[in-house]
């Protein structure tokens, strides 16, 4: 499978629990992005990595959220002490810089997302 | 915050008709992209247009970009029921490496 893979597809958790999502990007893509999408809205940017470096975090990403990309391959997004407002679709996308270290943006390939429901 | 806004928010047309969606954005950009999203699924990349391009075609899709007006349009010709989806534009502001998405246009194509 050469696409972006996200696991799990669905997660139901009780308020206050911690959850972790995983994203496996396209192997030759060095950029990886996390977005959050609620019903009827466009995806909202959360954070992105170039290789293993986390280069930008949105103000939406409270200190309960943490993302990692060890070794520059897969990434995890952890939400601690979940709240009902965290219920959303969490989308991962990857892209290539086309060999350039900066200055070039290409289209994203998105995964199918992880739908989180906090009850 | 959303960089772009799509217009209209919702559009309903008959199969075979053309569908036009518009996107307006706020800052200077490097690129603008259009994505499609079927209900409850991930987004599918449709087309990318660079800031120095004015028009691009891909199959039944035609995208225009007017950087002076900070706007873009997506035209789907000879629409099909399978085109029913939400369509989003996304822009990367100059000097950044992330795309910011608009609020989307929900297209319904009636058979």
């Amino acid at each position: 499978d050469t696409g972006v893979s996200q696991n799990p597809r669905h997660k139901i958790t009780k308020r206050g629990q911690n959850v972790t999502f995983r994203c496996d990007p396209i192997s030759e893509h060095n950029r990886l992005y996390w977005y959050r999408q609620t019903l009827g809205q466009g995806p909202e940017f959360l954070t992105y990595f170039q290789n293993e470096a986390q280069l930008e975090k949105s103000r939406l990403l409270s200190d309960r959220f943490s993302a990692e990309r060890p070794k520059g391959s897969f990434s995890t997004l952890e939400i601690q002490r979940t709240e009902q407002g965290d219920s959303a679709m969490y989308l991962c996308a990857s892209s290539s810089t086309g060999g350039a270290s900066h200055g070039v943006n290409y289209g994203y390939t998105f995964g199918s997302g992880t739908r989180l429901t906090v009850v | 915050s959303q960089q772009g806004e799509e217009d209209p928010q919702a559009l309903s047309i008959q199969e075979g008709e053309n569908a036009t969606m518009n996107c307006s954005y706020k800052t200077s950009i490097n690129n603008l992209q259009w994505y499609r999203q079927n209900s409850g699924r991930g987004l599918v990349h449709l087309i990318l247009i660079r800031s120095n391009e004015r028009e691009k075609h891909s199959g039944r899709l035609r995208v225009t970009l007017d950087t002076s007006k900070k706007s873009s349009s997506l035209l789907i010709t000879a629409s099909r029921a399978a085109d029913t989806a939400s369509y989003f534009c996304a822009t990367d502001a100059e000097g950044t490496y992330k795309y910011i998405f608009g609020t989307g246009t929900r297209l319904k194509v009636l058979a």
Side-chain angles (χ1 to χ4, degrees):
Chain A
D1 185 354
T2 56
V4 176
S5 175
Q6 289 190 247
N7 288 289
R9 290 292 305 274
H10 303 273
K11 179 72 178 177
I12 300 174
T13 190
K14 289 185 179 176
R15 193 174 50 189
Q17 298 291 305
N18 299 345
V19 293
T20 300
F21 310 140
R22 177 177 170 127
C23 172
D24 288 90
I26 291 173
S27 57
E28 55 268 30
H29 284 181
N30 55 352
R31 286 195 186 141
L32 185 148
Y33 300 79
W34 286 99
Y35 285 80
R36 179 172 67 189
Q37 187 179 26
T38 53
L39 200 63
Q41 299 296 312
E44 292 180 298
F45 171 78
L46 294 179
T47 188
Y48 93 94
F49 294 83
Q50 180 153 320
N51 301 313
E52 66 276 7
Q54 188 174 19
L55 296 186
E56 191 170 342
K57 277 175 70 167
S58 164
R59 282 184 291 253
L60 291 173
L61 219 62
S62 76
D63 55 9
R64 296 185 298 106
F65 289 70
S66 62
E68 292 183 343
R69 193 183 183 198
K71 303 177 185 176
S73 55
F74 72 91
S75 176
T76 57
L77 178 68
E78 182 184 17
I79 309 175
Q80 296 182 326
R81 304 181 304 280
T82 52
E83 301 172 356
Q84 286 188 318
D86 297 331
S87 295
M89 175 80 92
Y90 289 84
L91 295 162
C92 174
S94 67
S95 72
S96 169
T97 57
S101 60
H102 62 273
V104 180
N105 289 330
Y106 292 90
Y108 289 170
T109 301
F110 274 91
S112 297
T114 294
R115 182 170 295 285
L116 173 67
T117 302
V118 182
V119 297
Chain B
S1 64
Q2 310 275 178
Q3 150 84 311
E5 263 189 41
E6 284 88 342
D7 168 56
Q9 288 190 330
L11 180 60
S12 188
I13 60 173
Q14 295 292 323
E15 208 167 26
E17 293 181 339
N18 296 343
T20 300
M21 289 158 263
N22 303 296
C23 167
S24 59
Y25 56 91
K26 297 172 187 170
T27 65
S28 297
I29 61 170
N30 296 312
N31 309 291
L32 184 144
Q33 302 185 74
W34 285 91
Y35 286 83
R36 184 187 73 225
Q37 185 178 38
N38 291 90
S39 182
R41 308 296 295 274
L43 286 85
V44 173
H45 177 253
L46 295 177
I47 202 162
L48 181 151
I49 186 166
R50 301 205 183 275
S51 58
N52 60 356
E53 296 174 313
R54 291 296 165 257
E55 188 169 312
K56 225 167 169 179
H57 297 254
S58 176
R60 294 184 295 114
L61 306 180
R62 173 179 165 246
V63 168
T64 62
L65 178 65
D66 186 336
T67 52
S68 66
K69 294 181 180 176
K70 294 188 170 58
S71 68
S72 173
S73 68
L74 170 67
L75 169 67
I76 304 174
T77 60
S79 62
R80 305 165 182 168
D83 295 327
T84 294
S86 291
Y87 291 81
F88 295 92
C89 70
T91 53
D92 57 346
E94 277 183 346
T96 73
Y97 305 110
K98 66 177 187 283
Y99 283 91
I100 302 298
F101 286 78
T103 50
T105 291
R106 291 183 301 283
L107 173 66
K108 190 167 189 177
V109 181
L110 304 168

